[in-house]
Amino acid sequence: MDFIDLKTQYRRIKPSVDARIHQVLDHGAYVMGPEVTELEQVLAKYVGNKHCVSVASGTDALMIALMALDIGPGDEVITAPFTFFASAEVIALVGATPVFVDVDPRTYNLDPAQLEAAITPRTKAVMPVSLYGQCADFDAINAIACRHNLPVVEDAAQSFGATYKGRKSGALSLIGATSFFPSKPLGAYGDGGALFTDDDRLAKLMREIRLHGQDRRYHHPRLGLTGRLDSIQAAVLLAKMEIFDDEVAARIRLGARYSELLRAAFADKPDAIRIPYIEPFNTCVYAQYTIEVASRDIFETRMKALGVPTAIHYPIALHLQPVFAHLGLREGHFPVSEAAASRVISLPMHPYLTEEQQAEVVAAVREAVG
Ligand SMILES: Cc1ncc(COP(=O)(O)O)c(C=O)c1O
């Protein structure tokens, strides 16, 4: 069994993906080719934003957003400590200081109730993460940020396709930034990412920053990056968008089914594991289907012996990463994130999981928990 099965998906879209890749090989515009513009139109329409700016990775998307907001040394940006490293890395890469706000223990997303206390005169942006494929509580976060005149950037790397109160992830704040890493809900065959906004000025700036800060050929009013999405990756993503609604529906169905099966398997000891909690106003795309167990090391070893792959997203809360030691944050500062980091473990999840495979995973979980 694969943790994420990309080969079955490829077999499904092979004619379309092969044809589109060959078109790029034929026309030869490998960088900024027509597929890039076409993809940006498709994605902007899908998310419901005026602008989509495709970029080279999710990390570049977040960094370009911060650069467009003119964030740099002396500034603070608020994010969650329980996320993939890149969420805080980009804040430090632009020279600003990451300021962490602990997460809600049920959703693992930035806890709006703790946000206001972390805002200082140096705060320049709030960057909540929509972890595991479920959006953070953007109405609550936007309201607080708005009171303090702060822009909000959604780290939507794991939540492309998810909805919050009927609106799409990526379109829930001033800027949304997503990733097309192959294992993401919408994944390329290499690295990729995208930015979303309704703001004309920010969209123009972000387009310039992804191209070395160039506003016209060889004229650079600001610094930027080589941050473009390749035409071949855009071609792959266009082929995948043809089946994306169907895949999102499968993810939602399979996630709910996992929860149902796990609840039934642990009916006699419901406290032995924690299954994902999805807010009633959210749909989750389950970039990861992540549970909590008490003795994770033993559980992990047993699952491996039973032939079921697992992964840990993420074993160390970001405030405890060696590179952030200078921030002076220690164990105990963000107890919810620290507890989650010591207990979470993700099960195989992708739109092509069969009922038999899900049953096999659940049986293994029950056996591994003991
Ligand atoms: C929450 C989060 N933020 C940012 C990123 C960075 O995206 P990428 O790997 O495309 O640079 C990822 C992807 O792994 C992620 O999961």
Side-chain angles (χ1 to χ4, degrees):
M1 188 183 315
D2 293 319
F3 186 71
I4 292 176
D5 174 6
L6 294 171
K7 284 169 284 187
T8 303
Q9 183 201 47
Y10 176 55
R11 281 196 292 276
R12 179 177 176 191
I13 55 171
K14 190 176 185 326
S16 173
V17 95
D18 288 7
R20 282 188 180 271
I21 289 176
H22 274 103
Q23 259 168 29
V24 178
L25 297 177
D26 283 339
H27 68 53
Y30 305 129
V31 173
M32 299 313 285
E35 290 77 12
V36 172
T37 315
E38 187 184 345
L39 178 72
E40 289 180 347
Q41 285 163 358
V42 168
L43 295 182
K45 187 159 176 248
Y46 177 82
V47 164
N49 264 137
K50 198 165 162 193
H51 304 282
C52 167
V53 181
S54 62
V55 293
S57 69
T59 306
D60 278 1
L62 292 170
M63 188 146 128
I64 290 170
L66 296 182
M67 289 168 82
L69 293 169
D70 220 8
I71 288 165
D75 297 338
E76 293 175 355
V77 177
I78 295 174
T79 192
F82 186 57
T83 171
F84 180 61
F85 183 61
S87 313
E89 181 185 34
V90 292
I91 298 170
L93 276 174
V94 299
T97 303
V99 170
F100 298 110
V101 166
D102 212 350
V103 296
D104 179 315
R106 295 172 313 159
T107 62
Y108 308 111
N109 285 329
L110 190 146
D111 183 358
Q114 300 187 50
L115 173 57
E116 198 138 31
I119 296 172
T120 75
R122 289 147 84 103
T123 308
K124 289 287 147 40
V126 183
M127 203 161 72
V129 183
S130 294
L131 203 72
Y132 298 153
Q134 169 169 224
C135 296
D137 189 353
F138 276 89
D139 280 356
I141 292 167
N142 284 333
I144 296 163
C146 184
R147 276 208 295 281
H148 295 268
N149 235 330
L150 293 171
V152 177
V153 178
E154 181 189 10
D155 181 341
Q158 302 187 7
S159 56
F160 191 76
T163 59
Y164 169 84
K165 300 185 182 175
R167 282 142 49 212
K168 289 254 168 55
S169 177
L172 304 175
S173 61
L174 182 63
I175 302 174
T178 196
S179 162
F180 301 131
F181 185 77
S183 61
K184 296 290 193 252
L186 179 65
Y189 289 159
D191 283 304
L195 288 149
F196 299 93
T197 189
D198 281 336
D199 187 298
D200 297 343
R201 185 187 70 86
L202 283 172
K204 180 171 179 291
L205 272 177
M206 295 192 299
R207 278 185 199 287
E208 290 173 8
I209 293 168
R210 83 169 167 187
L211 224 173
H212 298 289
Q214 179 175 285
D215 64 349
R216 57 178 196 273
R217 201 164 170 78
Y218 300 139
H219 184 262
H220 305 265
R222 61 183 51 78
L223 298 176
L225 318 163
T226 310
R228 299 158 300 213
L229 181 74
D230 294 344
S231 305
I232 286 185
Q233 298 309 336
V236 170
L237 292 166
L238 279 166
K240 290 204 184 188
M241 278 306 284
E242 292 167 15
I243 55 160
F244 191 60
D245 280 340
D246 187 51
E247 290 193 335
V248 167
R251 284 178 175 279
I252 293 170
R253 180 169 42 77
L254 291 166
R257 189 154 189 284
Y258 252 148
S259 299
E260 228 173 78
L261 292 173
L262 284 167
R263 246 182 242 115
F266 286 88
D268 60 328
K269 44 159 121 179
D271 295 335
I273 63 161
R274 244 215 57 188
I275 62 169
Y277 168 81
I278 310 301
E279 295 279 13
F281 47 75
N282 277 339
T283 59
C284 180
V285 289
Y286 296 100
Q288 311 297 343
Y289 186 94
T290 305
I291 61 170
E292 282 187 31
V293 293
S295 307
R296 187 175 61 192
D297 288 351
I298 300 170
F299 178 84
E300 195 181 11
T301 311
R302 287 183 181 161
M303 289 294 278
K304 199 169 171 197
L306 291 164
V308 177
T310 58
I312 297 172
H313 307 94
Y314 297 93
I316 305 173
L318 298 190
H319 64 290
L320 302 176
Q321 289 290 351
V323 71
F324 294 133
H326 65 281
L327 298 177
L329 298 165
R330 284 178 307 279
E331 214 159 323
H333 272 111
F334 302 104
V336 178
S337 294
E338 292 162 22
S342 71
R343 294 169 57 97
V344 291
I345 188 153
S346 306
L347 306 179
M349 180 68 199
H350 57 82
Y352 302 95
L353 266 183
T354 62
E355 293 198 357
E356 295 71 31
Q357 286 173 321
Q358 281 197 297
E360 187 187 331
V361 173
V362 170
V365 170
R366 178 66 221 216
E367 197 176 329
V369 166

